[in-house]
Amino acid sequence: MAETKIPYKIYLNESELPKQWYNLRADMKNKPAPLLNPGTGKPMTAEELEPVFCSELVKQELDNTTPFIDIPDEIYNFYKMYRPSPLVRAYFLEKKLGTPAKIYYKFEGNNTSGSHKLNSAIAQAYYAKKQGLKGVTTETGAGQWGTALSMACSFFDLDCKVFMVKVSYEQKPFRREVMRTYGASVTPSPSTETEVGRKILAAHPGTTGSLGCAISEAVEVAVKSEGYRYVLGSVLNQVLLHQSVIGLETKTALDKYGIVPDIIIGCAGGGSNLGGLIAPFMGEKLRGERDYRIIAVEPASCPSFTRGVYAYDFCDTGMVCPLAKMYTLGSDFIPSPNHAGGLRYHGMSSILSQLYDDGLMEATSVKQTDVFEAAELFARVEGILPAPESSHAIRVAIDEALKCKETGEEKTIVFGLTGTGYFDMVAYEKFHEHQMDDYIPTDDELAAFRAKLPKIG
Ligand SMILES: *Cc1c(COP(=O)(O)O)cnc(C)c1O
């Protein structure tokens, strides 16, 4: 059958950029579990969340019913600088694999921050500015979120204070300088600047830090400083809402050519890019209009979905944040120091956790050497140097395409290519020098972290 030739890149016009975010929760029969106040065990109210988060973002966080939320003009205009992002047909990868599968990727690395995180950073900075705040605090692990947030804050002339996981701070001095170029201040975490940082340092001298610990520090500074709020780059419902632009654009681009994906794949750290990419497709699935296979890919060294438990847990190590019900490894969990591929958060978005628990999506875990092998293959044939995080999705897209080669099925695969890997050359170097191993936590190790989960109900 003659098929309309699909262009290498499907670009949308500026006028096709979504004007509203899509709130997947509105179509979920089983809503994600509410955040709980660790003191009372009751759902967090807006009043309790407002000392930590901006008011408009609190509203979005708690809104389980409004399906579409207008994107304010200021955010929409900023989006126009780097969106719509291209949906690329991976013709060269298909050819290299010799697969009958049709592979597409949505590329979110076309901005200076190098990842999808800018989609939410600009929204969060905008609402902070609109509320008349002086600045925001946050944490960053690999550095992409901190970079995105510092860009967004400089655009709206807001102060930006970033706690950067110490190991990344030391390994990625260039990331740090990009953030400082955009005017942010960057502190390695754990630090002596906060009570919680001093406590963690006393208990674990020489620790190289973790996301959970940096979150605790950033929250403490936000709550104690007049005119500051805390912002988070993943996990939260509001972040998945902002990231729905990824999925909405992808759907518009596919619809233009009458393409219907069979499989949608995304890497999952805290779940924001995956939640955004799948949003409109999962919406169709929830409304019974269409079915898709949806696969979350996580590192074997930090397997929240595949080996975690669905339970209430702290979002941070210092236990200062509300409790979230999610697939979690326990808030004390820190991936092995030789884990180089990102996606190192112990928990997962409550929205995705509920969808996974309801059997609406799958999850799989991959070893980091397999991830870097896929990354290198992809770079060589498609030209883009992928972020290690994104390469988890590449790995599984390749594996699914190779299965099609065996069966002869012409499946259509869409995956999220969340960013570029220019600042991850230390990890690539380890891979090239064969110094990368695949440490996978044992059941006993995971059980020890799980035993420390808070007892709820
Ligand atoms: C942060 C990040 C991720 C993982 O975060 P999610 O919230 O799970 O999307 C994936 N890829 C890149 C490039 C990132 O910067």
Side-chain angles (χ1 to χ4, degrees), residues 115-117 144 233-234 267-274 343 387 389-390 418-419:
S115 83
H116 65 285
K117 292 207 171 66
Q144 289 98 323
S234 183
C267 63
S272 73
N273 87 83
L274 179 64
L343 309 174
E389 291 91 342
S390 325
T418 50

Side-chain angles (χ1 to χ4, degrees), residues 12 19 26 33-34 67 71 102 104 106 119 135 158 172 186 256 261 286 305 371 413 439 455:
L12 298 179
K19 295 208 160 54
I71 300 175
K102 300 177 177 72
Y104 295 86
K106 178 71 168 165
N119 300 331
L158 273 172
K172 300 188 175 184
V186 188
K256 259 188 165 180
L286 287 164
F305 268 135
V371 167
I413 299 169
Y439 185 78
K455 307 277 178 288

